[in-house]
């Protein structure tokens, strides 16, 4: 009785074919990346504060075409701007104040939160109902919407999380903590008394209900 079974004549060939196929698959992944040159340095940030965008480029080394992107982006300058800096979109509109529109100068104000095309530069002439698209794209780093961190990059609105990463869906919890679980504050409800002076001839009365978020540090 034989202790083991003899391999059939076709077994080595099938095994060799499998190994070759696996090797080619792995090599094709490497070759695909190998068709690209290394990523270049990051560009200067589009903004000095308030959250901007920076890009990096790479060159296709193939005589035909390469699979994938030749440009990548990241956020930068994620620090608050001083109050006197003003709104970034408003700055772009006001840059057209010294350019005649249909033979006339206007003072341009930003039109924000356009649901159809939030990354175009639409401005309104002050004191009029005139709204004009002064540029097809706002500058990179412009917020898509006033109450969102999402930013316009190359004319497209890109999702930005509270961690300031492109493509991130992380949000702040009710306590204002990025990716928090809401455990660092508590909701306090109650009534307050209105404090009216006697000179007005009115007596104090109960005011509306009040909801406050009280923040606290977790116990050690």
């Amino acid at each position: 009785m034989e202790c083991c079974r003899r391999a059939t004549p076709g077994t080595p060939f099938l095994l060799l074919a499998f190994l070759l196929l696996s090797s080619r698959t792995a090599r094709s992944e490497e070759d695909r990346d190998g068709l690209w040159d290394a990523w270049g340095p990051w560009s200067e940030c589009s903004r000095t504060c308030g959250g901007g965008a920076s890009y990096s480029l790479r060159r296709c080394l193939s005589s035909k075409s390469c699979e994938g992107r030749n440009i990548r982006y990241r956020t930068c300058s994620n620090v608050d701007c001083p109050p006197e800096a003003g709104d970034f979109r408003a700055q772009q509109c006001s840059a057209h104040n010294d350019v005649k529109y249909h033979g006339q100068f206007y003072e341009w104000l930003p039109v924000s939160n356009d649901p159809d095309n939030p990354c175009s530069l639409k401005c309104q002439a002050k004191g009029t109902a005139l709204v004009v698209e002064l540029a097809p794209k706002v500058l990179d780093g412009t917020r898509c919407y006033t109450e969102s961190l999402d930013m316009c990059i190359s004319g497209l609105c890109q999702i930005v999380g509270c961690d300031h990463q492109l493509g991130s869906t992380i949000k702040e919890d009710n306590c204002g903590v990025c990716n928090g679980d809401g455990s660092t504050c508590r909701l306090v409800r109650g009534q307050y008394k209105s404090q009216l002076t006697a000179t007005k001839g009115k007596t104090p009365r109960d005011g509306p209900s009040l909801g406050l978020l009280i923040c606290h540090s977790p116990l050690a």
Side-chain angles (χ1 to χ4, degrees), residues 106-164:
Y106 293 97
E107 181 179 351
W108 297 103
L109 303 176
V111 176
S112 304
N113 304 318
D114 183 351
D116 298 323
N117 191 2
C119 292
S120 65
L121 183 62
K122 291 184 179 179
C123 310
Q124 181 173 359
K126 186 176 181 179
T128 74
L130 178 63
V131 175
V132 179
E133 183 182 278
L134 296 179
K137 297 187 294 185
V138 292
L139 297 179
D140 287 352
T142 306
R143 297 283 175 86
C144 303
Y145 306 100
T146 54
E147 300 299 325
S148 171
L149 291 176
D150 298 347
M151 68 171 58
C152 297
I153 297 179
S154 193
L156 298 176
C157 184
Q158 304 289 340
I159 296 175
V160 179
C162 62
D163 55 353
H164 299 292

Side-chain angles (χ1 to χ4, degrees), residues 26-125:
R27 189 178 298 112
S28 64
E29 295 290 335
E30 296 175 358
D31 291 343
R32 184 177 63 183
D33 293 335
L35 296 176
W36 290 100
D37 198 0
W39 285 104
W42 289 100
S43 69
E44 183 179 354
C45 192
S46 62
R47 301 185 64 183
T48 57
C49 62
S54 177
Y55 65 86
S56 174
L57 298 170
R58 63 177 178 174
R59 184 167 52 96
C60 178
L61 302 177
S62 172
S63 59
K64 298 179 181 179
S65 62
C66 294
E67 183 179 348
R69 300 178 302 161
N70 70 331
I71 187 171
R72 59 179 178 175
Y73 295 93
R74 69 177 182 183
T75 64
C76 47
S77 299
N78 293 305
V79 294
D80 292 337
C81 292
E84 61 272 15
D87 178 73
F88 192 41
R89 190 182 291 264
Q91 294 174 14
Q92 297 171 61
C93 285
S94 63
H96 293 264
N97 289 351
D98 57 354
V99 179
K100 286 186 176 181
Y101 179 78
H102 289 184
Q104 187 174 348
F105 290 108
Y106 293 97
E107 181 179 351
W108 297 103
L109 303 176
V111 176
S112 304
N113 304 318
D114 183 351
D116 298 323
N117 191 2
C119 292
S120 65
L121 183 62
K122 291 184 179 179
C123 310
Q124 181 173 359

